[in-house]
Amino acid sequence: MAATADGLVGDAAITSLLVEDDERWLPLAHRRWSPSVHAHARRALGDWREAEDVVQQVFVAAWCGRSGFRPDRGTLPAWLLGIARRKTADALTARTRRREAAAGAAALAADDPDEGPERVVDRLVVARELSLLPRVQREVLALAYYADLTQVQIAARTGLPLGTVKSHARRGMRSLRLRAASAAGEVSGHP
């Protein structure tokens, strides 16, 4: 491994270590390029700690995705900065989601001050999951649970045949169950 006059390992040597899957790459690359990655994230996010999180995510993503690095397409610092841009955008999106969820929770809590915070969070989660369903399934389930209508009443209100209402309700509930099971597996660390 070639060192520069000041004792630091050169860019080409660090790049070679990455290409060769040599774990020595990570601390060397982090020491060399984390200040510029941090500066980029800090400018975009306006928050020192969030920028530190982005730096860690960038170098973990770079190591995990090292097979995607192509030295003939650009330099290692440029590749890292590209990852940093995506991770910074993800952090901004997550921040926006947190703010929207907090605003939604505050609005729901204001509607019913006696409702506990757990119930407010449950309502937000259910509303979000319903929004991911196809339109007709979402409407059928919303009428069933929010308007407290029976399937016969839903069929009369929507003009859909009763069998179709039942099918949409069943498929919608199955989708919600599968997503809930998947989320529970992710939270517990199981696939």
Side-chain angles (χ1 to χ4, degrees):
M1 191 175 353
T4 60
D6 59 4
L8 296 176
V9 176
D11 291 1
I14 296 173
T15 300
S16 293
L17 290 172
L18 175 65
V19 170
E20 295 165 6
D21 287 342
D22 190 321
E23 291 180 7
R24 294 179 295 171
W25 168 84
L26 190 55
L28 294 169
H30 189 273
R31 187 171 28 255
R32 172 70 55 83
W33 292 296
S34 65
S36 60
V37 170
H38 189 272
H40 164 77
R42 191 179 66 247
R43 274 191 308 273
L45 297 169
D47 184 278
W48 183 271
R49 286 192 180 119
E50 272 187 296
E52 287 177 347
D53 290 343
V54 167
V55 169
Q56 298 309 313
Q57 292 170 19
V58 165
F59 283 94
V60 168
W63 179 251
C64 292
R66 64 192 175 274
S67 64
F69 174 66
R70 300 285 181 261
D72 56 322
R73 292 187 185 167
T75 66
L76 183 54
W79 185 64
L80 290 171
L81 192 55
I83 296 170
R85 286 187 191 105
R86 288 187 296 280
K87 294 300 181 182
T88 301
D90 292 347
L92 287 167
T93 300
R95 179 192 291 173
T96 300
R97 280 193 201 122
R98 285 190 306 271
R99 285 182 180 158
E100 288 172 354
L108 288 173
D111 288 346
D112 187 358
D114 294 332
E115 187 172 39
E118 296 84 15
R119 180 80 175 119
V120 170
V121 170
D122 288 346
R123 286 177 55 193
L124 285 171
V125 169
V126 169
R128 180 183 182 287
E129 291 301 319
L130 280 173
S131 74
L132 299 174
L133 292 175
R135 182 187 57 77
V136 179
Q137 290 177 13
R138 180 177 57 246
E139 290 172 0
V140 166
L141 291 177
L143 288 170
Y145 291 98
Y146 295 128
D148 201 25
L149 298 179
T150 66
Q151 290 178 338
V152 171
Q153 292 169 321
I154 294 169
R157 181 175 284 187
T158 62
L160 294 171
L162 179 59
T164 302
V165 169
K166 289 179 178 183
S167 294
H168 284 306
R170 185 176 50 254
R171 283 193 298 268
M173 289 302 295
R174 184 178 56 225
S175 292
L176 291 174
R177 240 187 330 277
L178 289 172
R179 263 202 296 280
S182 174
E186 290 172 10
V187 169
S188 68
H190 299 297

